Amino acid sequence: MSPRPPPTLEDSLREMFPEEWLRQTAKETGLIKRERKIDPVIIFWVLTLSFGVRLQRTLSSLKREYETESHKTISDSSWYYRFTPELVEFLHQCVIHGIEELAKEPGRKLSKKLENFQDIVIQDSTIVRLHSSLSDKFPAARARTVAAGVKVGVMVSAVANGPKTVALYSEKSAEIKTLKIGPWIKDRILLVDLGFYKTQMFARVEENGGYFVSRIKKNMDPVVVSIEEGMPKTKCKDFIGKPISECIKQLSGKDIDAVVKIAFKRREYKGKQKQDEMNVRLVAVYNDEDEKHHIYITNIQKEILNAKDIANLYGARWDIE
């Protein structure tokens, strides 16, 4: 038997967006109520492969392309009135579906030390500047003149080696608002920068069976519960109950692995906000180049990743940046 030829780009795209899925999504988003002259499958491919790759740039040229592909002549109104919010939602769902399908493809494998985790994910966002005529709908956060923009929140997966989710927010949205923690975080490590620093969020990650690594804010000085590594056991008890800054001063140049207590407020419920606290692992790794400690907090056990491993893991964020 002759070997099977490798799949073409067309094969891959049709597998990712099967006709049945496109028709069902068109109905769910309200794009198509009753299929008459406009076929949702054909309009999807015409918009994707004609406008999406800049072969056709006007609605009239896209209409002619649609007529060629469908072997039907349609009126201008049948075509122009199809460009509605329902079409936007349909294409939005197609983008989300495409990203999810890509994330399912075999990607990189985590190293042996991380083999017990499903994935490492990194959340970040960037501002995309829009035309000033859109300032009423998408106002810029900081601008002396009339300006518009959106915040694009992206979650990157180490295993998929690419975006896991992409979402748009108001430019004024706080970073933490772009990160929704739920059951999906189970057995995954979340790397976040200070824009996402919130103890309440760390607690939700842990409660959902996930893991986190973050730098610690400069104004944070949590109290030591125990010292795991970094000093003789006979001296460890001298630091219990003291701020971590005192430990760092007295152990200049040495790495410290400790458990600290952090107080925080739960989300407001029925007008009340409950005080709470949690113990987290704090790792302070001395950096010879900067001549200071780099401090991280995590809930990953030291038996799995030591202090230097935590610092190296967090350094993966810069690859994403």
Side-chain angles (χ1 to χ4, degrees), residues 235-296:
K235 292 185 178 181
C236 289
K237 61 181 181 180
D238 296 336
F239 290 94
I240 295 175
K242 294 182 179 180
I244 190 67
S245 59
E246 289 191 25
C247 300
I248 292 175
K249 284 180 182 178
Q250 294 189 40
L251 297 169
S252 179
K254 291 184 178 180
D255 295 346
I256 301 172
D257 202 330
V259 174
V260 298
K261 183 182 295 184
I262 298 179
F264 67 100
K265 290 182 179 180
R266 289 283 180 179
R267 281 188 294 182
E268 190 173 316
Y269 180 69
K270 292 184 178 180
K272 295 182 179 179
Q273 208 168 16
K274 182 183 175 183
Q275 284 286 137
D276 208 342
E277 59 185 29
M278 67 182 294
N279 288 350
V280 298
R281 180 184 173 200
L282 183 145
V283 171
V285 178
Y286 189 77
N287 186 285
D288 293 321
E289 188 176 332
D290 294 342
E291 296 184 344
K292 65 178 183 180
H293 283 87
H294 289 183
I295 307 174
Y296 312 91

Side-chain angles (χ1 to χ4, degrees), residues 96-107:
I96 292 173
H97 177 75
I99 292 171
E100 289 176 345
E101 288 300 304
L102 287 173
K104 291 178 183 177
E105 292 184 359

Side-chain angles (χ1 to χ4, degrees), residues 119-124 154-158 161-165 320:
D119 200 356
I120 300 172
V121 292
I122 297 102
Q123 176 82 6
D124 212 343
V154 181
M155 179 168 287
V156 178
S157 160
N161 197 17
K164 186 175 179 66
T165 61
I320 304 303

Side-chain angles (χ1 to χ4, degrees), residues 114-130:
L114 299 169
E115 63 185 2
N116 292 326
F117 302 101
Q118 285 195 30
D119 200 356
I120 300 172
V121 292
I122 297 102
Q123 176 82 6
D124 212 343
S125 61
T126 189
I127 302 298
V128 176
R129 192 60 56 214
L130 303 178

